[in-house]
């Protein structure tokens, strides 16, 4: 395996649009199935997360830090909690959302509600939550907990790898979300 050279090449805007279209198609088909399985919820959640990252330029940690209260539905915007790495203090930034991202977030809400209904206890403020139990540092966490930044990153990587192997010539899709979210050439 070779050494990665940074910054990694970004995806041109035309190809980013192809990625968004495919994510929307998968999420719409999964949402229409309405059988409530975690796989359908996974497709909808991942489409909403990745499209939000592409639209706003948010990093995976910033996507995972978004609470439901940070999504301003009427204004069609989201407040990001930015923490520049070594370049100044943290700050809040409101980013507008396009129609596609807004529709995917609305599509995600019933899936999120269904996952959180399985929890004993209070509501989780996070917009994006885990769909299955998982472990961190040897501790088992139930489904419905805030998705960690590595969960956001891994969700995209698994989607990209699935696309690489499905035979539809999507091998050009990067496995790093960073390459999709950063603005690229025309």
């Amino acid at each position: 395996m070779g050494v990665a050279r940074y910054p990694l090449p970004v995806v041109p805007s035309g190809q980013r649009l192809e990625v968004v279209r495919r994510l929307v198609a998968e999420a719409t088909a999964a949402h229409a199935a309405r059988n409530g399985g975690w796989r359908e919820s996974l497709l909808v959640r991942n489409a909403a997360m990745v499209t939000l990252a592409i639209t706003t330029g948010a990093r995976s940690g910033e996507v995972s830090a978004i609470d439901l209260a940070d999504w301003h539905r009427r204004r069609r915007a989201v407040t990001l909690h930015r923490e520049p790495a070594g370049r100044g203090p943290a700050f809040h930034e409101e980013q507008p959302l396009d129609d596609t991202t807004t529709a995917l977030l609305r599509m995600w809400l019933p899936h999120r509600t269904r996952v959180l209904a399985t929890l004993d206890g209070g509501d989780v403020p996070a917009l994006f939550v885990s769909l299955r139990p998982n472990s961190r540092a040897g501790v088992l966490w139930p489904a419905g907990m805030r998705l960690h930044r590595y969960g956001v990153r891994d969700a995209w990587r698994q989607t990209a790898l699935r696309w690489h192997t499905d035979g539809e010539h999507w091998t050009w899709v990067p496995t790093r979300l960073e390459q999709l979210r950063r603005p690229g050439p025309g």
Side-chain angles (χ1 to χ4, degrees):
M1 187 172 194
V3 175
R5 304 271 184 227
Y6 289 93
L8 295 170
V10 296
V11 175
S13 59
Q15 289 180 322
R16 273 202 320 269
L17 185 58
E18 288 181 52
V19 168
V20 169
R21 284 182 182 144
R22 180 161 179 184
L23 287 167
V24 168
E26 287 183 350
T28 303
H31 188 67
R34 295 201 184 270
N35 66 2
W38 71 268
R39 291 184 195 278
E40 289 76 18
S41 295
L42 178 78
L43 292 172
V44 174
R45 184 199 67 190
N46 290 355
M49 282 190 317
V50 172
T51 306
L52 187 137
I54 290 172
T55 303
T56 63
R59 299 180 302 204
S60 56
E62 294 165 349
V63 171
S64 72
I66 297 172
D67 286 340
L68 196 56
D70 294 329
W71 175 28
H72 313 290
R73 295 179 193 143
R74 287 202 174 132
R75 289 196 314 261
R76 294 172 27 151
V78 67
T79 300
L80 297 176
H81 305 279
R82 303 266 192 191
E83 294 186 25
R87 292 178 297 198
F91 61 96
H92 300 290
E93 178 181 50
E94 190 170 296
Q95 288 284 327
L97 299 175
D98 60 11
D99 293 340
T100 303
T101 306
T102 302
L104 287 169
L105 288 171
R106 289 184 192 283
M107 198 182 297
W108 161 240
L109 285 183
H111 295 271
R112 178 186 179 277
T113 301
R114 191 169 36 248
V115 171
L116 293 180
T118 65
L119 285 178
D120 291 333
D123 190 26
V124 175
L127 179 58
F128 298 110
V129 296
S130 62
L131 300 173
R132 296 186 301 171
N134 56 63
S135 63
R136 253 185 275 158
V139 177
L140 184 62
W141 295 88
M145 296 287 103
R146 178 182 299 277
L147 198 63
H148 192 269
R149 68 181 173 156
Y150 298 122
V152 174
R153 181 197 66 192
D154 292 347
W156 168 249
R157 189 178 72 233
Q158 291 169 1
T159 299
L161 291 174
R162 179 173 49 83
W163 288 4
H164 287 185
T165 59
D166 74 358
E168 289 192 28
H169 309 291
W170 284 82
T171 56
W172 60 266
V173 175
T175 56
R176 291 177 180 250
L177 183 59
E178 167 192 6
Q179 293 172 270
L180 277 177
R181 70 169 184 82
R182 289 193 336 236

